[in-house]
Amino acid sequence: MSKKQAVNPYMPSWEYVPDGEPHVFGDRVYVYGSHDRFNGHVFCLNDYVCYSAPVDDLSDWRYEGVIYEKTDDPLNPDAHMCLYAPDVTVGPDGRYYLYYVLDKVSVVSVAVCDTPAGKYTFYGYVHDTDGRRLGEREGDQPQFDPAVLTEGDRTYLYTGFCAIGDRSRKGAMATVLGADMLTIVEEPVFIMPSQPYSAGSGYEGFEFFEAPSIRKVGDTYYFVYSSVAMHELCYATSKHPTKGFTYRGVIVSNNDTHIDTYKPADKPAYYGGNNHGGMVELRGQWYIFYHRHTNGTSFCRQGCIEPIVILEDGRIPQVEITTSGPNGAPLIGEGEYPAHLACHLFTDHDEPYSGTHGAWMDGRFPKITQDGRDGDEEPGYIANLQNNAQAGFKYFQCSGVRRVKIKARGYARGAFEVKTAWDGPSLGSIPVEFTNVWTTYAADIAIPDGVHSLYFQYKGIGNASLASFTLET
C-alpha cells in the first residue's frame, strides 16, 4: 500500500488468530484469541499468542509473542488437547486473569500474569466452595467459551455451547466468582435459551449457539454471542449482569447475510462459518471484532474489525464486512493492495458456509490462502478463481484512477473484469495467460472519482490466482 493504513484482516496474512476479544489496558488495545494452524485439520492447534496496537492507530499491530502454551495446563501435559477461545479480565489485585477451556474437558481453567501480554502461568480451575470443579458436578452443563467481566470483588463468568436440537444444553450461563477469581459465590443461571427452549422467548431463529462476550456500556450489559446460524454475532442487553437479557439484533455476519444495501439480503458475499468476537471502545468509537474463514476450510480463521454505532436507544445496526473497516475511512485509491484483503469472495453458485463440504470446500470455490507451512511469513493470495468468480474489496476513495495492474498466476487464460459493483458493468478488462510465476498485467481502466467498492471478476478457462492489484493515476 502507498502508505500505512488499517485493513482487514488486521494481523499479518500468515497469522490465524480467531475468536478475538479486545481489551484496552493503558494506551493499547490487546487482542486475545485462540490460534489456528495454517492447513490445520481441526480448530485451535497452536498456543495462545497476543497482538496489541495503540488505541489511536489500528494499523500498527505489535506481536507480543506466545503468552500461554497448551501444555501449561496440568490436565494437558502431553498436548493432546487444544486451547479454545479465551478471555481476559483484571482482578481486584490488579493482575490479569486468562480464562479458557480445553477442547476435551468441560471445566474452566484460569491462568494469571502481572502484565497484559506477559507469560501467563496456570492458576487453577473454577470451583465451588467445596472445591468441586464447575462442569464436573452432578447437574452441571458443560463449560465452553468463557467470557469474563469484573466489577469490584465479583467476576461474572459467561459460558455455553448449544447445538440445534440438543435438549441437554439449555442455553448461555452466567456464574459469579469471588475475589479469588476461582470460587463460585453464585451458582450458574441461564440468561438466554438454546434452540429447543426458545419458543416465546424473542430469540427464535437467533438462539444462542456459542461464543459469549460481555461488555458494559453505561448502565447496560451487552452480551454478544454466535447464533445457531453460526456466521452472525448477535447481541442481547440487560440492566443486570445475570438476568433480564433481551434479544436486540445482529451486529455482523461474516458472509454479510441480512445486508441488503448492495445485494439481496440472503445472498452470501463470502464463505462464512462460525463466528466469535467482542466489542471495544477506542477514543470514543466502538468496534466489533470478529473473524473470517480462509483456505477453503473452517480451521484457518483470521480476525477482522468493523466500526459500529450504538444508538441512543441502545440498538446497534448491523454493519457490512469490509476491507477498510478498522481504518475508519475509505482506503486511498492509489497504490498496490494485496488480494488477501478481499472482503467478498463468491461464484455463480451461492454458498454461505466454508464448512459445508465436510469442513473442506471443493474445487468449485475460490479461497484465500498462502504458500509454505504454518509460521512461514508467506503473503496471502486468492487461489482457484474459475470462470465468473469474483473478489471484492471495499471501500476506496478514488480520484483520477486511469490504470489498473494485477499480479496473477495459474493455468488460466482469460481476463479479469474490473467493476465497482458485483452486479455492475465492466469498466475494463485485464487479459491473463498461463504462467507458473506471479506475473504483472495491466490495462488502461478509468475508475470514477468517489468512494467505491472494487470487484475483480475472472472470466476464462482454468484456475487463476490473484496476488494483488494496483491503482494508478
Side-chain angles (χ1 to χ4, degrees):
M1 293 178 285
S2 57
K3 63 173 288 189
K4 194 161 189 182
Q5 303 174 89
V7 293
N8 282 325
Y10 57 93
M11 293 183 189
S13 66
W14 53 84
E15 186 64 278
Y16 302 89
V17 178
D19 308 322
E21 281 285 7
H23 293 285
V24 174
F25 300 126
D27 60 357
R28 301 186 70 83
V29 55
Y30 294 81
V31 177
Y32 305 90
S34 57
H35 197 188
D36 286 349
R37 180 174 298 172
F38 177 63
N39 276 335
H41 62 286
V42 293
F43 300 110
C44 311
L45 284 170
N46 288 337
D47 297 324
Y48 288 146
V49 297
C50 182
Y51 279 79
S52 75
V55 293
D56 59 353
D57 188 357
L58 293 181
S59 72
D60 188 20
W61 290 93
R62 181 174 74 197
Y63 176 61
E64 301 285 357
V66 175
I67 62 171
Y68 197 70
E69 299 177 23
K70 59 175 70 72
T71 54
D72 289 336
D73 193 299
L75 291 176
N76 199 34
D78 59 357
H80 75 284
M81 291 187 282
C82 298
L83 295 166
Y84 272 1
D87 197 9
V88 168
T89 188
V90 180
D93 59 359
R95 294 195 294 172
Y96 299 83
Y97 290 84
L98 174 77
Y99 289 74
Y100 65 94
V101 169
L102 294 165
D103 69 330
K104 294 179 176 62
V105 294
S106 295
V107 299
V108 178
S109 301
V110 186
V112 66
C113 187
D114 291 332
T115 60
K119 188 67 171 69
Y120 284 74
T121 57
F122 179 76
Y123 179 62
Y125 302 103
V126 172
H127 59 261
D128 62 18
T129 53
D130 294 327
R132 298 175 300 170
R133 294 188 296 205
L134 177 65
E136 293 182 334
R137 305 171 304 172
E138 183 177 357
D140 278 351
Q141 300 260 301
Q143 300 299 295
F144 193 79
D145 279 358
V148 280
L149 175 68
T150 299
E151 294 185 315
D153 288 340
R154 291 193 160 204
T155 292
Y156 300 100
L157 168 68
Y158 303 83
T159 54
F161 175 89
C162 303
I164 292 177
D166 185 352
R167 300 189 66 84
S168 71
R169 310 286 184 98
K170 294 186 177 181
M173 296 165 280
T175 306
V176 184
L177 309 180
D180 67 354
M181 311 300 284
L182 292 176
T183 305
I184 298 171
V185 296
E186 290 186 19
E187 288 290 328
V189 293
F190 294 104
I191 62 169
M192 67 177 56
S194 62
Q195 181 269 330
Y197 301 96
S198 65
S201 68
Y203 288 87
E204 295 90 342
F206 301 93
E207 297 93 344
F208 174 81
F209 174 54
E210 62 177 354
S213 179
I214 187 72
R215 296 293 185 273
K216 192 176 185 182
V217 182
D219 64 351
T220 302
Y221 296 88
Y222 280 73
F223 184 85
V224 176
Y225 67 98
S226 174
S227 78
V228 290
M230 295 195 302
H231 57 75
E232 61 197 14
L233 292 183
C234 301
Y235 72 107
T237 61
S238 176
K239 298 298 184 181
H240 192 280
T242 63
K243 62 183 178 181
F245 281 91
T246 302
Y247 175 76
R248 302 299 297 275
V250 175
I251 301 177
V252 68
S253 159
N254 60 23
N255 63 20
D256 250 7
T257 293
H258 313 304
I259 295 290
D260 62 2
T261 52
Y262 68 94
K263 63 171 183 61
D266 59 352
K267 178 179 176 62
Y270 191 82
Y271 302 115
N274 68 17
N275 207 347
H276 192 157
M279 294 163 45
V280 71
E281 184 182 19
L282 303 175
R283 295 170 65 90
Q285 171 65 60
W286 281 94
Y287 296 87
I288 183 70
F289 283 57
Y290 65 103
H291 64 239
R292 70 176 189 179
H293 293 245
T294 71
N295 203 37
T297 169
S298 296
F299 310 133
C300 294
R301 299 163 296 170
Q302 296 182 316
C304 297
I305 306 169
E306 306 294 345
I308 60 175
V309 175
I310 301 178
L311 302 177
E312 289 187 6
D313 64 359
R315 290 184 298 115
I316 303 174
Q318 183 177 345
V319 293
E320 297 180 1
I321 54 175
T322 69
T323 304
S324 59
N327 203 49
L331 301 172
I332 298 170
E334 184 177 5
E336 184 176 16
Y337 289 90
H340 79 270
L341 303 182
C343 56
H344 295 172
L345 201 60
F346 52 87
T347 67
D348 289 340
H349 176 80
D350 286 343
E351 178 53 65
Y353 296 104
S354 61
T356 297
H357 305 282
W360 294 90
M361 303 194 77
D362 65 25
R364 293 174 295 168
F365 302 98
K367 62 182 180 181
I368 295 170
T369 187
Q370 67 171 77
D371 291 335
R373 299 177 299 177
D374 184 66
D376 291 347
E377 296 185 0
E378 293 281 350
Y381 63 92
I382 302 172
N384 202 36
L385 289 156
Q386 298 188 17
N387 186 49
N388 283 333
Q390 297 196 53
F393 307 78
K394 56 173 44 176
Y395 289 96
F396 295 86
Q397 179 69 60
C398 297
S399 179
V401 177
R402 296 293 179 265
R403 188 169 175 83
V404 181
K405 293 180 179 178
I406 61 172
K407 286 183 181 177
R409 74 179 183 191
Y411 288 102
R413 177 175 289 123
F416 279 88
E417 305 284 343
V418 181
K419 306 184 293 184
T420 56
W422 70 273
D423 57 350
S426 172
L427 302 178
S429 64
I430 307 173
V432 296
E433 292 288 340
F434 293 110
T435 175
N436 294 326
V437 297
W438 293 116
T439 302
T440 299
Y441 304 92
D444 291 332
I445 300 175
I447 306 295
D449 292 350
V451 176
H452 296 293
S453 304
L454 293 176
Y455 288 85
F456 294 80
Q457 182 174 25
Y458 176 68
K459 292 189 175 182
I461 61 173
N463 297 273
S465 293
L466 182 66
S468 68
F469 65 91
T470 302
L471 305 177
E472 296 183 345
T473 57

